[in-house]
Structures are given as C-alpha cells and as structure tokens.
Amino acid sequence: MFFGDSHLGAIKQARDQTTQTARAEVLGSVEVDFGPVCGIRNYQSEFFTTDGETVRVWAPARKGGSQYRLPAEDGYDWYVLAGPLNASHLYRSIPTWSRYDLPGEHSDRAPMSPALLQRIISDNQYQFCRFIDALLQIELPLVVLDTPPPFRDTRYVREIGPRRLLAVDDAARRRMRDLLDHFQVPIIRVPDTCVEDDGFTRPDYRHPRRDNFHTNVEFGTLMLRRTVEVAGELERDDATIEDSTSRPG
Amino acid sequence: MPEPRHPYADQPERAYWPKTVRDKHPLDITDWYQKKFSLDGRRIATAGSCFAQHIGRRLRSSGFDFVDTEPAPTVLEPQSRAAFGYHMYSARYGNIYTSWQLLQLFQRAFGTLSPVEDYWVCGDGVVDPFRPTIEPEPFSTVAEMHDQRAHHLACVRQMFHTADVFVFTLGLTEAWCSRLDGAVFPLAPGTVAGTWDSSRYAFANLTYPMVMEDMHEFIDGFQKLQPEGSLLLTVSPVPLVATATTDQVVVATTYSKSVLRAVAGALAAEYECVDYFPSYEIVAASPMGSRFFEPDMREISSHGVDHVMREFFRIHPPPTPTASDQVANGTATPPEEEDVVCDQELLATFGGRQ
C-alpha cells in the first residue's frame, strides 16, 4: 500500500492509466493499493496518534478525506510511505533563503550557522520522524519512497539559485536518509537516469501542467516498476533470513 | 491660589497608602504609573534581563511597531527561535543584565570599543564571549563567529537608528569583566565556555554611581542618534539565582535591585525623555505578597506577567484589540507559560554540582 504525500499522484496515475497488459508487465503478480494522499504541508504539524498497536492518521481529514489506521484492515505485505524525503516545504521559503547565507557562504545576506540549518531541517522533519518511529513501534513493514529532486525551471530555483536550492534539498535528504538507514528502513531510490548531471530531475518527467514539484505518468511508471523490484528484493531477503534462521545448528 | 493647609493636602488618592493599598485587594491596586510620553506610532525596541523578554513579546504581539532587525528565518519553527536568540529582543544580543553591558553593546556596535577578548573555546568550537549562549552549539571556527558577530552588530546599529523608543529592563549589578580592558561579559568565563583565570578576569558589583555613569553615557549616545527618542526603563523583579559576593543571596538581590531602582528613578527625574515603568513594584512590592512568584520564589508566573502587562497596557493601550486585551478583560484564556531564556539559571546548575 502506498500512502503519504502528493508525489504519489504520478504513481497512482501510472497504475490507473496504463493498459491492463502494460500494467501486468510492470506489476507482474504484485497488487498495489493507495491509501489517502495529501499535500506535504499537512505533515508539518501533528497528524497522527498511536496507542502502541495501531497508528491513526488524520491529516487527510483536513482536506475532506477520512482518517485511516495502520496497519490497514486488509493487511499488506509492504507499506510504502512517500513524503519523508520531500524537502520542498523548506526551499519554498524564498524569504529565508534570499535573506540568509547557507553555512560557508559569504555575501551581504545574514550568516546561518550549521546548527541553525540543522535545526530548521530537524524541525521540518520532526513529525515524519515521530511517524516513522510510531510505525516501527507497531512493526509495520515499512519502505520509504524517494522524492524526485527539484526541477530546474521553477520560480524557486530562479529566486534562490540552483546551487543553493539543491544544497538545502540535499542537506534535508541526507539527514532523513541517515535516519532511515539507522532504523534500517529501505528506501526506493529515484533511478539515476531520471536525474540530470547537475542534480535536477530531468524536465521530460515533469507534470504536463508545468507543476513546480510533481512528475508525470512516465516517472510514475518508472517508480512503480522500481517499487515492485525492491519489494521482490525485500521478499527474497526475508526468505533468506528466515531460511538461515530456521536452519538447524 | 491659597496655600494648601499642608504639603500633602493636594496630593491625589494614589499618594496615600490607606486609600491606595490598605483597603484593597492587591489585584485591585491601580494607579501604579503615569506615562511621560506616548508610544502611539513609535518604533519600539527592547533589551534587558530575562524579564524583558516578556515585555518584548507582549509588545510585539500586541500590535505595537516593534523593531526586529535580526528576525528569525521564516522557516524556523517558533519553538526553536529562542534557542537561537531570535524573537527575544529587537536583535540577537541575548540577555543584557547590566547597564555596563548595554553601554558596551552600543559602543561595540558603533566601533568605539573593540574588546581584546575575542572568543571563548567551547568543546571543539568557539563562542562569542559577549553572547555565549546565543546558539545551542558553538561555532566551528573563529571566522564563522566573526561573520556572525559582524552581522549582529550591524543589526544592532540598525536597531538604534530605527527605534525611537528603547525599553530597557535593568536586571543585575553583578558582572564579570576582563582585567585587560574592562570588557564585560554576560556570564563568568568558565561557566558555559572559556576558562576561568583570575589574573585575566574580575568580578564587579556595580555601585549606584557606576550604573548612573553607564546610563548617562548610553542615553547621550542614544540621543545623538535619536534626538526625539525616548527611553522606558523597568527593573526586573526576578531575584539573583546566585551571587558572587560574600552576601547571602537575598541580601545581594536587595542590594542589586535597590541600586537599579534608584538609578531608574533618578534618570526618570533627570531626563524628560526617560520614563520608569514599575514592573518591579507591581510584582515584588510588599502589598503584592508573593502571589506572582512561582514556588521557587524566584521565577515570575505567567499570571504575574499578565498582571504587569495589563497595567502597562492600561496606560499604553495597544494600537488594535489583541489577545492581551482579551486576557485583560477576561474574554480569553491567558497564554501558555512563556519560555524565557535565562543565562543566570546556568549558575544554579553550576552551584548544584559543587
């Protein structure tokens, strides 16, 4: 089951719009469902509760959706969460980055210490960190879906500058990746072929509405394919672990 | 006009203890203060000891034209601002406990003082001796700290050029300074950073003439920048958490507050542009008992801060109806306990280790 932020839109479109044959080619025997999806802003403040056995998410309710609980009633082999690696909420703050230098920069802007940048990032990721911790507490089989890097041709890049915007994005991703590694939560990475040499997502994967952040069906298909691959790898790993642990002596 | 029967005959009710205090509930005591100047349409900056943070926050949230020349990054969550010295005052100088610190901040900002003491080592990094707790972690290099300091002092200059009312809360008379040039620090070297060296640093307990001299010099400097500017003084009712004198801490507190209160009164009498708001008395005077102190008898409860600010806003009404007004007239619940950054608290920690 996929759940999380609005970057799932492209993946959902990929599942819904492809023909049955193409879908079978991508998914094989894997069944894919989507839980409620909502914008990243809804995950910046408290959006769930937990009783230690289940986690109840209410963020989509603010957008007219309903609450949902994890694990879902239907039960899934894997839960794929999108959002923790989305740093757009940070770099969207044009007033911040146009007023402050990043650590190591020297201009007429205000200097920002590494500690301040880290605090900004950790505050921004706080709710997702709590959420991931709660999901691991209930032993939900969790995978995190990577967020595509920013697109180059956006007002944010124009206002903040490409190098600076990527530096913010990268610092936030690095922290979350380290955390996920620490908790041994697998990440479904964006394929290198989707990213240009300068670190931006290739423009041919941009949503047709020239959306500043979101990708198109082609990208969704790639990520759907990648998810199925990772799920297969994880199943094999699980089987290996089970096999090795069940072997006598 | 015929002569009054005696000098007290024409005094208003507020001049009489029986009429003002004796037959009233402490919360009904009014007439604490008559303003000398209005705050309407004026740009206000604040500085001072811990208690001044409450005043600054309430002024800011009440719609006054509050000067903040070093604002927090918009993307920084509100609960993290104080840890980095943002939103405490009108720039990121942290707590300014003494008149000496205030004067030297002004002098450092305008280049008339360049202290010999440059940085204090703290773990693997360095801190600014003149605001050692402004960030939760030390700066990694001296160069980084210099960048931060240069920007900060530019913001302080801008603040003094911008604000036409400066609200200053006098907090302490005890200070730590460099023996080399008299540069004064908010905390003793060796407490949070740096290394204590009695041949390099000294303790000073400011006297009335010393505080007066500092304040005269500061007011002169401020008036040169802002000929129409005003200074609103208060004295923090928060007692010392520790004293470096040989006195008992309550006795040392009484000395400090007495000197500061006397200076504030003398300056208000001397200068037309200086006013004194009695936050100290509203909290700590005998008719109030200890109702506004927390159980440790040192920290001021939010109820106490509300009461002080209610009296303040009664005389200086906020430009627009605000949450503070609603608290004052009972139509809203008081705010949560305010998180105040108090470096002096660190001394209690050190004391506890001994």
Side-chain angles (χ1 to χ4, degrees), chain B residues 5-341:
Chain B
R5 285 176 292 120
H6 56 76
Y8 296 95
D10 287 347
Q11 284 289 82
E13 280 199 6
R14 67 170 183 272
Y16 289 91
W17 190 275
K19 290 175 181 167
T20 303
V21 177
R22 191 186 61 198
D23 299 328
K24 287 190 174 169
H25 185 276
L27 296 183
D28 291 332
I29 298 172
T30 55
D31 279 339
W32 289 98
Y33 164 65
Q34 292 80 47
K35 67 184 171 192
K36 284 172 73 174
F37 47 78
S38 170
L39 301 180
D40 290 352
R42 304 185 75 184
R43 290 155 298 181
I44 303 169
T46 63
S49 69
C50 317
F51 191 75
Q53 291 172 45
H54 294 299
I55 296 176
R57 283 179 189 161
R58 300 293 176 97
L59 287 173
R60 189 194 292 259
S61 65
S62 300
F64 285 98
D65 190 354
F66 190 86
V67 174
D68 187 351
T69 54
E70 211 171 357
T74 49
V75 76
L76 182 67
E77 294 291 330
Q79 70 269 17
S80 290
R81 289 173 184 160
F84 287 84
Y86 292 109
H87 269 238
M88 288 166 67
Y89 299 110
S90 295
R92 289 173 76 201
Y93 26 72
N95 293 325
I96 297 178
Y97 295 105
T98 60
S99 55
W100 204 5
Q101 248 186 291
L102 174 66
L103 175 62
Q104 290 195 1
L105 173 69
F106 189 86
Q107 292 171 330
R108 288 192 300 120
F110 289 97
T112 56
L113 176 69
S114 300
V116 175
E117 197 83 352
D118 189 24
Y119 61 88
W120 285 348
V121 172
C122 180
D124 294 335
V126 294
V127 300
D128 187 341
F130 304 100
R131 43 175 201 158
T133 58
I134 205 65
E135 295 224 350
E137 289 174 33
F139 300 110
S140 26
T141 64
V142 175
E144 185 193 344
M145 192 213 66
H146 283 164
D147 278 354
Q148 293 274 349
R149 180 190 288 162
H151 175 76
H152 165 61
L153 291 178
C155 293
V156 173
R157 282 194 297 279
Q158 191 192 344
M159 177 193 77
F160 281 123
H161 279 297
T162 307
D164 48 18
V165 176
F166 187 66
V167 181
F168 183 58
T169 300
L170 294 145
L172 302 177
T173 51
E174 297 192 13
W176 297 92
C177 64
S178 165
R179 289 187 189 275
L180 300 174
D181 57 1
V184 64
F185 314 114
L187 280 168
T191 50
V192 294
T195 308
W196 173 250
D197 175 352
S198 58
S199 68
R200 193 176 172 89
Y201 306 113
F203 170 69
N205 197 9
L206 305 183
T207 59
Y208 176 92
M210 291 159 90
V211 179
M212 280 298 273
E213 189 182 334
D214 291 340
M215 292 307 295
H216 276 142
E217 204 171 334
F218 170 74
I219 293 168
D220 289 349
F222 181 59
Q223 280 187 319
K224 281 185 186 129
L225 294 176
Q226 297 282 355
E228 302 300 315
S230 305
L231 192 67
L232 183 54
L233 297 175
T234 67
V235 172
S236 166
V238 181
L240 276 70
V241 74
T243 177
T245 65
T246 53
D247 289 338
Q248 189 248 39
V249 68
V250 179
V251 178
T253 296
T254 305
Y255 168 80
S256 268
K257 303 298 177 184
S258 305
V259 166
L260 299 175
R261 175 61 187 88
V263 167
L267 292 170
E270 180 180 348
Y271 291 89
E272 198 50 46
C273 68
V274 177
D275 199 1
Y276 170 71
F277 175 73
S279 56
Y280 177 79
E281 287 86 341
I282 295 172
V283 171
S286 62
M288 309 313 285
S290 56
R291 71 186 60 250
F292 293 138
F293 286 93
E294 295 285 8
D296 68 358
M297 296 304 287
R298 181 174 175 271
E299 286 181 57
I300 312 301
S301 66
S302 61
H303 177 45
V305 176
D306 286 343
H307 189 67
V308 168
M309 295 313 292
R310 194 179 293 127
E311 292 302 317
F312 184 87
F313 291 138
R314 203 191 296 278
I315 306 300
H316 293 288
T320 50
T322 64
S324 304
D325 291 330
Q326 290 168 344
V327 170
N329 64 27
T331 56
T333 51
E336 297 288 312
E337 295 290 323
E338 289 175 2
D339 190 16
V340 169
V341 179

Side-chain angles (χ1 to χ4, degrees), chain A residues 61-89:
Chain A
R62 294 185 196 147
K63 304 200 91 180
S66 56
Q67 291 190 18
Y68 63 103
R69 67 177 279 269
L70 298 165
E73 298 283 345
D74 295 342
Y76 292 95
D77 294 321
W78 292 99
Y79 291 81
V80 184
L81 170 64
L85 290 156
N86 184 347
S88 67
H89 192 68

